[in-house]
Amino acid sequence: QTVVTQEPSFSVSPGGTVTLTCGLTSGSVSTSYYPSWYQQTPGQPPRTLVYSTNTRSSGVPDRFSGSILGNKAALTITGAQADDESDYYCVLYMGSGFWVFGGGTKLTVL
Amino acid sequence: QVHLVQSGAEVKKPGASVKVSCKASGYTFTGYYMHWVRQAPGQGLEWMGWINPDDKAHYAQKFQGLVTITRDTSISTTYMELSRLRSDDTAVYYCSRARSMHASDSFDIWGQGTMVTVSS
């Protein structure tokens, strides 16, 4: 069974740039997986950041950007701010109506 | 403005069933997929299934035979019923409207979540 992989945790300095990735235990992520990214803070529902690889959701600052890097989907945060400290989840469309979330990345800004 | 408002917290005993509702407003209810996603305490997000504009439901393999997603278009409400509850079904359950009427369009708008606690 294919698993969607994310870094469990990541740290970035305020003002810095960080790239979170979303891969597969078997195979490469491409645009055909329609990768999307979500931000979640404790006690809140997820917030949609990026969909279809690189399209920002309405109201999302342009310092969040999505892409394919090598064989993974990626979310890059440029100019990290304190309130970017959150959990970040990717989800991939596996075809035939099935979706699978990654395990999430806990981002610390310090 | 698009809103999804879910029903309140539930406490159930093992073996029981729970039915969570998700009332939509601010858009044409029948034109979009609606997904259900859950999150156990301290854990990540887990996709459970969807119902599409044609009223067809589709479930993650893990939940086949356990979950039923339905909707009532007359009141713009989607339901997720989970049966044979176990303690590890304790989680926050979210409805999430997809971006469009296509299966490959991801989650867009989220409900506020419904806490379901399974305990004897």
Side-chain angles (χ1 to χ4, degrees):
Chain A
Q1 179 178 331
T2 300
V3 172
V4 178
T5 62
Q6 294 186 248
E7 299 87 358
S9 62
F10 230 118
S11 183
V12 63
S13 300
T17 296
V18 63
T19 296
L20 312 181
T21 68
C22 176
L24 291 167
T25 53
S26 176
S28 299
V29 177
S30 67
T31 56
S32 299
Y33 285 87
Y34 301 92
S36 53
W37 292 89
Y38 305 85
Q39 178 190 49
Q40 189 183 35
T41 52
Q44 296 298 314
R47 170 198 181 198
T48 304
L49 295 176
V50 169
Y51 62 94
S52 295
T53 305
N54 56 11
T55 305
R56 270 185 300 277
S57 191
S58 176
V60 174
D62 60 7
R63 54 200 184 77
F64 291 92
S65 61
S67 63
I68 299 291
L69 285 181
N71 61 351
K72 297 182 180 182
L75 176 72
T76 299
I77 307 172
T78 306
Q81 300 180 359
D83 61 3
D84 294 336
E85 187 160 294
S86 303
D87 295 326
Y88 291 84
Y89 294 92
C90 69
V91 70
L92 300 179
Y93 180 62
M94 309 305 279
S96 302
F98 292 98
W99 292 86
V100 179
F101 280 94
T105 297
K106 184 176 184 63
L107 181 67
T108 302
V109 181
L110 52 73
Chain B
Q1 201 160 1
V2 177
H3 283 297
L4 300 175
V5 178
Q6 299 183 221
S7 49
E10 303 262 12
V11 179
K12 295 292 183 180
K13 294 195 182 303
S17 297
V18 68
K19 193 170 186 177
V20 179
S21 68
C22 170
K23 183 169 177 59
S25 61
Y27 71 96
T28 303
F29 177 71
T30 51
Y32 295 82
Y33 278 65
M34 187 73 79
H35 295 265
W36 286 87
V37 174
R38 76 177 186 180
Q39 186 171 37
Q43 302 300 309
L45 301 171
E46 183 175 30
W47 176 75
M48 299 179 70
W50 49 249
I51 188 164
N52 74 5
D54 295 324
D55 257 349
K56 176 185 174 182
H58 181 75
Y59 308 116
Q61 280 191 308
K62 173 178 179 176
F63 298 103
Q64 294 271 0
L66 295 173
V67 69
T68 304
I69 300 174
T70 56
R71 65 180 191 170
D72 184 339
T73 56
S74 69
I75 54 172
S76 300
T77 299
T78 306
Y79 302 93
M80 186 283 302
E81 184 170 21
L82 188 61
S83 62
R84 288 184 269 154
L85 289 168
R86 304 169 7 153
S87 58
D88 60 1
D89 291 316
T90 294
V92 176
Y93 290 77
Y94 295 102
C95 59
S96 180
R97 195 205 74 177
R99 310 204 69 81
S100 77
M101 63 173 64
H102 301 296
S104 58
D105 265 335
S106 61
F107 320 109
D108 184 14
I109 309 298
W110 295 76
Q112 85 276 18
T114 297
M115 182 72 212
V116 174
T117 303
V118 183
S119 174
S120 55

